[in-house]
Amino acid sequence: MMAGLELVSASRCFDGEVRKYCHLSQSTKCKMAFNIFLPDTAISQHERVPVLFFLSGLTCNEDNMMTKGGALPHLSKKRIALVTPDTSPRGVGIEGEDDDWELGTGASFYVDATQNPWKSNYKMYTYVQREIQQLVYDNFSVDSSRVSIFGHSMGGHGALVLSLRNPGHYKSVSAFAPICHPSTSDWGRKQFLAYLGSNEEAWAEYDATELARAYDGPELAILIDQGDSDKFYSSKQLQPSHFIIATESNRRPIKLDARMQPDYDHSYWFIQTFMEEHIYFHAKHLKA
């Protein structure tokens, strides 16, 4: 037990440890869980290592990335810590929270909800940007000045939003098949209406395309990979082209590398394939 953190499990892996913790969150008013990978240098030598945060997609939890992403050998080699938070509050007693895989449990869209019945617990923007990061900085040997973020699908949306809303906080951001323009997508309009209400102007705070169009901060390095066989890409749920156009129209320094990967879909097989390149992309910026 450390500073309100309860150790659930610890396993040795790739010259480091994967640990699961749970804690009572002030943001979400419920027990939350997260995993952290720490290379040995952060454990035995107390070296303050860079840290990556990964946000998972719809229906996922804190375990998906650790068990299926293929990141750990590359993180170990580069001596980078990884934190994987859950995707939403769980079991908070909201009527219907488990009825729809696109809304409620596992589907927070990383927003701070303003509408009933979600607003008391669904404060995932604050949880990820402030609470869990401070917990990690206070309790583990990581360097709070060398932080990057990435994610998949809904989590890619979250990673882009957090980086664009907090200029200078993250050294780099990347995403696998992110939801890029939720205000104009079925994956976004439904959730934003429920969580944020009918005032669409308020949605722009959580829309990566709108944020990129208005971005006015220091240079931000962004890497996006999208598979052209992704059914959610073909159904226009993701809309990376909108994000590309927004970054091109903004003369502020967003350095975007958006890559289309032939024949890849939306799965973790796709993520595993390009994970090494994403880790090395972040390592370059975290260790610059």
Side-chain angles (χ1 to χ4, degrees), residues 105-269:
T105 301
S108 73
F109 269 70
Y110 301 101
V111 305
D112 279 355
T114 60
Q115 305 299 302
N116 288 321
W118 310 101
K119 67 180 183 180
S120 292
N121 305 99
Y122 276 63
K123 300 292 186 183
M124 286 297 290
Y125 176 88
T126 295
Y127 176 74
V128 173
Q129 178 62 29
R130 298 178 189 168
E131 185 173 3
I132 195 171
Q133 291 195 35
Q134 197 59 54
L135 277 173
V136 169
Y137 304 150
D138 289 346
N139 291 284
F140 304 100
S141 189
V142 301
D143 186 347
S144 62
S145 69
R146 292 187 293 162
V147 183
S148 290
I149 192 168
F150 64 151
H152 170 229
S153 193
M154 178 186 75
H157 141 79
L160 292 171
V161 166
L162 265 70
S163 61
L164 290 164
R165 283 186 58 176
N166 296 276
H169 182 79
Y170 298 100
K171 299 296 185 184
S172 53
V173 57
S174 73
F176 301 93
I179 300 168
C180 289
H181 203 183
S183 295
T184 64
S185 165
D186 290 341
W187 270 0
R189 293 189 62 82
K190 170 183 178 178
Q191 293 82 0
F192 284 5
L193 181 63
Y195 296 143
L196 303 173
S198 59
N199 179 9
E200 296 191 16
E201 291 183 6
W203 299 2
E205 281 190 82
Y206 298 103
D207 189 311
T209 293
E210 301 305 322
L211 291 168
R213 190 174 285 130
Y215 182 74
D216 186 20
E219 182 174 282
L220 179 61
I222 303 176
L223 171 64
I224 292 176
D225 274 315
Q226 173 65 60
D228 70 359
S229 293
D230 184 333
K231 65 181 180 180
F232 303 114
Y233 169 69
S234 59
S235 64
K236 300 185 178 179
Q237 301 284 59
L238 307 176
Q239 304 183 121
S241 62
H242 294 200
F243 186 76
I244 294 168
I245 292 169
T247 60
E248 290 174 346
S249 68
N250 186 340
R251 297 185 180 183
R252 304 301 299 180
I254 296 176
K255 189 176 180 181
L256 173 64
D257 183 7
R259 311 186 304 189
M260 186 62 69
Q261 304 294 355
D263 303 324
Y264 283 92
D265 59 19
H266 200 73
S267 70
Y268 267 83
W269 303 119

